Amino acid sequence: MVTGEATADVSAAPREQRDLGDQQPKLSLAEILRLGAAGAVDDSTCPQVQSVLAKISLCRTHVMGGRKFQCRDCDEVTSLYNSCGDRHCPTCSGGKRVDFNDKATKLILPGVNYYQVVFTLPSELSELALANREEMADLLVGSAWKSLSTQLKAEQDYDPAAISVLHTWNQKLEAHWHVHLLVPGEGPRLNHRKGLSGAGWKQATAPPDAKNSDGFHLVRAAALRETYRTRAIAKLRRLRRAGKLKLGGKFEHLQEDEHWDAFIEKLESKNWVAFIQPPPAATSSATQVVNYLTRYLTGGPISDHRITSANGREVTFLAREGVKAGGDRRQVPITLKTSDFVRRWCLHIQPDQLTKTRYFGGWSNNRQATYSARCQELLESLGRDVSTVDEATCEEEHPDLLCEHCGSDRLELVAQTAKPSWKELMWRESDSCPWWYADLQRESHRKFWAESYGEGFYDWYRETQVESAKGILAEPTRRIQLPLPGFSPVRDHHESYLIDSF
């Protein structure tokens, strides 16, 4: 919780104080993003990335408004400022994580084995996804679920269900697109839905030639990987034919059919990753996987506990490194310039339209209630206890509000300020707007007018506005309005050019 106004002033510091300088070790992630934003963005940076960093810069600062509480024991005032609410903010969206955790936990039935299946895009497509985020997310998640559900029905003959959560990073914060699916290893037989004989409950079993010694089996992994690759590449081809793929930068050559065919041939020759992880032990709970997926549902690809040291110049964090899929457990320190760290973090800012969590099969929104009821009915008929559901513990901090001076919980609300609109907070001439974001807006405005009227017009126009404002009070002058793009000049009786509306 940010309670001091000194922190709030960082984003709006005077220009002579904008040098980051030396900071105390171990800044929080939110502080790193706030301090490093100015050096990590420029006028070529995606507007959404600029906006997210600007919101994080203001999150829980005095300009956001909030509440003030007075301690009944020491009479000191504690401030609780409003949050930005952006899903990428490291200190926000705790409510969204709790909601997901509660919803997912209610779907889990005791005594049922649950598997985590991870599908990964090859590195070439992870890079391509940076310019085609929504399209590649649909390709990845859709191909993964369709491949898994088709194979489950064919091999195990039960009605499957899944929760998917999209991740776009590896431990080094590089682009590494993959999706986690939580899948029950048993369910209602498919032929029950067809009204045929043999209705009941079906548990996933290994075929006689399976070489697994732990007793867990979902589907044949090799066949799953091949099906996943085939579906994903077919979807990729359709996207290009429909003109829905942005092929620029290092991928610009793929606009030519010859290079595109070679690119596809290379993808077809690669081994795609589809990793099936059974429960680690017979006593393992699916809620452990739910808690893991919840942790990175919002807030970005790294949390404070992995950052070992940070100041205004460098950030050091721990990352797994190894040759095994997903990396082994050995962690090594990674040190980056603060601006480079922020740029890597920003690779994982997603469009608002991109949904990171999805529910499939029996757990889809339109089937969830009937599917869960049917599962409980069948399990009860087998004499299995379904009266209790494992309780997940969402790793969220919800501390009671305490006095920051004496630690007392005897606080009384004495003042409350509404949160201003983002339009008001982010206006380039507003004192609350982060200085670097205001500068980027002015530069964008300057370029717009330069393209319309020539270089230097914006500065001349601003100066003319100021001089006109000074003189208009001293002596009335004829009004002159320059013609602007999209507006037609209208001549009045003074033969001055006016605009009816602007």
Side-chain angles (χ1 to χ4, degrees):
M1 178 180 67
V2 179
T3 56
E5 298 199 1
T7 303
D9 292 334
V10 170
S11 61
R15 290 182 181 274
E16 60 270 16
Q17 299 178 12
R18 290 179 189 172
D19 182 15
L20 298 179
D22 293 325
Q23 303 292 331
Q24 293 299 321
K26 193 60 172 72
L27 297 176
S28 69
L29 176 58
E31 291 170 326
I32 294 169
L33 297 175
R34 184 179 294 118
L35 289 169
V41 300
D42 54 32
D43 56 1
S44 65
T45 304
C46 169
Q48 186 191 6
V49 171
Q50 297 179 20
S51 176
V52 168
L53 289 177
K55 289 179 180 179
I56 293 174
S57 296
L58 300 184
C59 185
R60 301 179 192 273
T61 63
H62 71 286
V63 299
M64 297 287 289
R67 293 166 287 173
K68 291 184 181 293
F69 299 85
Q70 188 170 29
C71 179
R72 295 180 180 177
D73 292 332
C74 68
D75 290 333
E76 295 291 341
V77 174
T78 295
S79 299
L80 183 64
Y81 299 121
N82 293 323
S83 60
C84 67
D86 193 279
R87 69 172 174 172
H88 302 95
C89 179
T91 59
C92 286
S93 300
K96 294 178 182 178
R97 289 191 286 271
V98 171
D99 289 344
F100 168 79
N101 194 276
D102 289 344
K103 182 176 180 180
T105 302
K106 290 176 181 177
L107 298 175
I108 295 172
L109 295 171
V112 174
N113 290 327
Y114 290 86
Y115 294 76
Q116 182 181 194
V117 187
V118 182
F119 294 84
T120 304
L121 287 180
S123 58
E124 297 90 343
L125 294 187
S126 285
E127 293 184 54
L128 184 61
L130 296 176
N132 301 272
R133 295 173 185 264
E134 293 177 62
E135 293 80 8
M136 296 304 289
D138 289 341
L139 179 149
L140 169 59
V141 179
S143 300
W145 165 246
K146 290 176 182 177
S147 302
L148 180 59
S149 62
T150 299
Q151 200 160 333
L152 275 171
K153 292 174 182 178
E155 290 188 24
Q156 303 296 350
D157 191 38
Y158 69 79
D159 191 6
I163 301 173
S164 75
V165 177
L166 175 68
H167 287 176
T168 63
W169 56 82
N170 59 17
Q171 287 262 307
K172 296 181 181 180
L173 310 188
E174 299 164 328
H176 179 70
W177 282 56
H178 58 285
V179 62
H180 297 256
L181 275 75
L182 178 64
V183 185
E186 44 196 302
R189 284 186 182 272
L190 284 174
N191 53 20
H192 165 73
R193 295 191 303 154
K194 298 174 183 177
L196 302 178
S197 61
W201 189 258
K202 176 67 167 61
Q203 188 172 15
T205 55
D209 59 342
K211 297 180 180 180
N212 62 324
S213 58
D214 55 10
F216 293 106
H217 179 86
L218 190 64
V219 294
R220 295 179 184 272
L224 180 63
R225 288 191 290 269
E226 184 176 346
T227 303
Y228 165 54
R229 179 181 60 188
T230 300
R231 285 185 178 273
I233 291 178
K235 174 67 173 177
L236 190 67
R237 291 180 185 274
R238 291 196 297 272
L239 286 172
R240 183 177 180 267
R241 283 199 301 268
K244 294 181 178 180
L245 275 184
K246 299 181 183 70
L247 299 174
K250 65 179 294 184
F251 295 103
E252 187 173 1
H253 66 287
L254 297 182
Q255 295 179 18
E256 300 179 15
D257 292 342
E258 180 182 355
H259 293 296
W260 173 260
D261 292 340
F263 179 69
I264 292 297
E265 185 177 349
K266 181 181 179 181
L267 291 177
E268 290 175 332
S269 66
K270 299 189 69 152
N271 291 322
W272 289 43
V273 176
F275 176 69
I276 303 174
Q277 181 182 26
T283 57
S284 299
S285 169
T287 57
Q288 296 172 352
V289 178
V290 172
N291 288 337
Y292 170 76
L293 298 179
T294 300
R295 191 183 311 154
Y296 295 109
L297 185 64
T298 61
I302 189 172
S303 54
D304 286 340
H305 78 274
R306 278 179 52 205
I307 299 174
T308 59
S309 66
N311 54 44
R313 295 190 179 93
E314 291 183 338
V315 179
T316 300
F317 61 97
L318 295 177
R320 289 198 301 269
E321 191 174 71
V323 297
K324 296 181 181 179
D328 57 27
R329 302 309 301 176
R330 183 170 63 91
Q331 287 191 317
V332 297
I334 305 293
T335 300
L336 298 174
K337 292 182 180 179
T338 300
S339 57
D340 291 336
F341 175 87
V342 175
R343 289 191 190 100
R344 282 200 193 183
W345 187 90
C346 289
L347 290 176
H348 312 290
I349 293 176
Q350 304 300 344
D352 293 335
Q353 298 81 5
L354 194 153
T355 303
K356 294 183 66 175
T357 61
R358 308 186 192 191
Y359 296 80
F360 294 106
W363 286 344
S364 59
N365 291 332
N366 61 336
R367 293 188 56 206
Q368 198 172 104
T370 56
Y371 180 84
S372 296
R374 181 57 182 161
C375 289
Q376 293 190 36
E377 177 188 342
L378 290 172
L379 288 174
E380 287 175 349
S381 69
L382 297 175
R384 292 167 62 171
D385 182 17
V386 293
S387 58
T388 59
V389 178
D390 293 340
E391 291 186 1
T393 303
C394 182
E395 297 180 3
E396 294 294 327
E397 295 184 2
H398 297 288
D400 294 329
L401 181 62
L402 301 176
C403 175
E404 62 182 9
H405 302 280
C406 70
S408 171
D409 61 355
R410 289 164 38 83
L411 299 178
E412 179 182 3
L413 179 65
V414 294
Q416 186 167 354
T417 306
K419 176 182 174 181
S421 67
W422 284 119
K423 182 178 180 180
E424 179 182 351
L425 289 169
M426 296 299 185
W427 183 49
R428 59 183 178 274
E429 304 302 334
S430 170
D431 292 337
S432 63
C433 184
W435 66 266
W436 56 268
Y437 190 61
D439 284 354
L440 287 173
Q441 289 186 83
R442 294 190 190 98
E443 183 60 27
S444 176
H445 210 53
R446 182 178 288 107
K447 286 184 176 181
F448 170 80
W449 289 111
E451 291 173 358
S452 300
Y453 289 106
E455 201 67 40
F457 174 83
Y458 175 75
D459 294 329
W460 171 84
Y461 184 68
R462 281 174 56 86
E463 182 180 350
T464 303
Q465 278 187 317
V466 173
E467 294 300 325
S468 297
K470 290 179 181 178
I472 196 169
L473 297 177
E475 180 180 352
T477 58
R478 293 173 61 186
R479 296 177 297 163
I480 298 179
Q481 171 66 61
L482 293 174
L484 302 177
F487 297 90
S488 300
V490 179
R491 188 180 298 272
D492 72 351
H493 63 282
H494 292 297
E495 296 186 349
S496 297
Y497 279 47
L498 299 174
I499 301 301
D500 288 334
S501 61
F502 182 71

